[in-house]
């Protein structure tokens, strides 16, 4: 059985010094994280220093987003090529969708860029509060998954993150998560095959912390978590990692 994934989305929480401090603590207390597959997503500007300071080869590093293009006149944007050795890239996080207007079509192009560079993609999907209240969760997820390529040849991880749960402390019930994850799995089966659908890794994200992780671990379809604010606090992130049993 694969280890539970702990994907730490540091968003814009940690500056360079704070990121290096975090890594120094991981280096000192690495055994606390040994039951999980940890992937860190620092700010773009901190990735290089994080990579330089990190001692463990087991911990992977990713980008929180990337541009559709790989070079050119795109002021302020970041190419997947500019950071040569990332293992992962998040695509379609709800903050990119809602604050920066990343549409499903833009996200489709970003995903293709990530795949073209043989980087593992984490595609974030999930409904807003309004969509949930209007019983549109399934139709929103359909649209968000319809951007997937016809042939899936690359590694794909899907993070189901109900937007209303992100940063709010409002956790869906395990039954709610299980229902949506099985909907996602069935959709993948219909888009591809049972075999390919089984290979897609499913994460849950939204208000995961050391208090909620135990009960979330009971959801059978969850392969791991995409964690925001609790992942940027070393003690909170360590406490989550220590709850993971092999
Ligand atoms: P949160 O964020 O853990 O702070 O709710 C999750 C995310 O945005 O990926």
């Amino acid at each position: 059985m694969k280890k539970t994934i702990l994907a730490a989305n540091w968003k814009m929480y940690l500056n360079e010094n704070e990121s290096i401090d975090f890594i120094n603590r991981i280096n000192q207390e690495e055994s606390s994280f040994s039951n999980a597959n940890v992937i860190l997503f620092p700010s773009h500007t901190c990735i290089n220093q994080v990579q330089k300071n990190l001692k463990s080869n087991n911990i992977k590093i990713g980008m929180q987003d990337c541009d559709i293009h790989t070079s050119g006149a795109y002021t302020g944007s970041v190419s997947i090529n500019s950071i040569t050795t990332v293992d992962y890239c998040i695509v379609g996080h709800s903050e990119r969708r809602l604050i920066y207007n990343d549409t499903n079509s833009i996200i489709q192009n970003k995903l293709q860029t990530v795949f073209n560079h043989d980087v593992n993609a984490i595609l974030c999907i999930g409904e807003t509060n309004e969509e949930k209240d209007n019983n549109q969760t399934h139709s929103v997820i359909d649209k968000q998954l319809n951007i997937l390529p016809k042939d899936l040849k690359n590694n794909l991880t899907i993070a189901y993150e109900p937007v209303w749960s992100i940063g709010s402390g409002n956790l869906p019930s395990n039954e709610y998560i299980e229902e949506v994850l099985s909907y996602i799995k069935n959709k993948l089966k219909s888009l591809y095959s049972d075999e390919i659908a089984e290979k897609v890794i499913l994460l849950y994200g939204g208000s995961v912390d050391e208090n909620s992780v135990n009960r979330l671990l009971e959801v059978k379809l969850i392969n791991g978590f995409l964690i925001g604010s609790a992942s940027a606090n070393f003690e909170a992130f360590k406490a989550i990692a220590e709850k993971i049993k092999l």
Side-chain angles (χ1 to χ4, degrees):
M1 215 180 93
K2 286 207 174 122
K3 285 183 183 176
T4 301
I5 293 170
L6 294 183
N9 178 11
W10 288 355
K11 308 194 182 189
M12 215 168 67
Y13 290 130
L14 302 181
N15 65 23
E16 189 170 86
N17 286 338
E18 289 161 343
S19 302
I20 295 170
D21 284 348
F22 196 110
I23 295 305
N24 288 338
R25 297 210 54 196
I26 290 196
N27 290 340
Q28 285 157 12
E29 302 184 51
E30 204 192 319
S31 59
S32 296
F33 299 89
S34 58
N35 286 353
N37 277 333
V38 174
I39 314 165
L40 303 176
F41 293 88
S43 288
H44 291 146
T45 51
C46 304
I47 288 181
N48 204 261
Q49 282 301 326
V50 164
Q51 284 175 327
K52 273 193 190 150
N53 285 277
L54 185 65
K55 293 205 174 113
S56 167
N57 293 325
N58 297 324
I59 295 177
K60 306 291 178 208
I61 307 292
M63 291 172 74
Q64 297 174 13
D65 188 51
C66 70
D67 199 281
I68 296 168
H69 309 93
T70 46
S71 76
Y74 303 102
T75 303
S77 214
V78 181
S79 160
I80 193 139
N81 266 346
S82 62
I83 302 162
T84 47
T85 51
V86 284
D87 303 294
Y88 283 84
C89 185
I90 296 173
V91 175
H93 189 279
S94 65
E95 284 149 19
R96 301 302 311 183
R97 292 177 189 265
L98 298 171
I99 305 171
Y100 299 99
N101 299 322
D102 276 12
T103 59
N104 280 322
S105 149
I106 291 172
I107 290 160
Q108 181 172 40
N109 289 324
K110 287 189 177 182
L111 191 63
Q112 202 48 58
T113 303
V114 173
F115 283 158
N116 290 346
H117 288 78
D118 280 330
V119 172
N120 298 300
I122 298 186
L123 173 65
C124 298
I125 61 173
E127 78 287 4
T128 63
N129 203 25
E130 198 185 344
E131 289 160 348
K132 170 173 72 74
D133 289 347
N134 290 329
N135 290 322
Q136 292 172 321
T137 300
H138 289 180
S139 64
V140 167
I141 283 174
D142 274 338
K143 287 197 194 99
Q144 292 172 331
L145 291 180
N146 282 340
I147 61 120
L148 287 171
K150 286 218 158 38
D151 289 325
L152 188 62
K153 299 193 187 96
N154 303 75
N155 293 336
L156 177 66
T157 298
I158 292 179
Y160 168 56
E161 300 203 295
V163 181
W164 49 275
S165 178
I166 294 177
S168 66
N170 290 335
L171 268 185
S173 67
N174 280 5
E175 292 70 31
Y176 188 97
I177 299 171
E178 188 88 49
E179 194 280 327
V180 180
L181 291 183
S182 44
Y183 185 81
I184 294 169
K185 193 118 265 182
N186 285 333
K187 172 87 181 165
L188 292 169
K189 285 181 184 169
S190 73
L191 287 173
Y192 301 110
S193 63
D194 288 12
E195 202 191 346
I196 290 179
E198 286 312 320
K199 283 192 190 142
V200 176
I201 291 165
L202 297 181
L203 307 183
Y204 167 78
S207 297
V208 178
D209 62 20
E210 65 270 42
N211 301 314
S212 59
V213 70
N214 270 346
R215 80 110 148 130
L216 291 167
L217 280 165
E218 287 169 15
V219 179
K220 286 191 199 70
L221 286 172
I222 287 182
N223 304 123
F225 304 99
L226 182 55
I227 310 163
S229 59
S231 79
N233 172 309
F234 180 80
E235 288 301 334
F237 191 52
K238 184 176 99 167
I240 294 171
E242 287 177 337
K243 298 244 159 89
I244 309 286
K245 307 269 176 302
L246 282 182

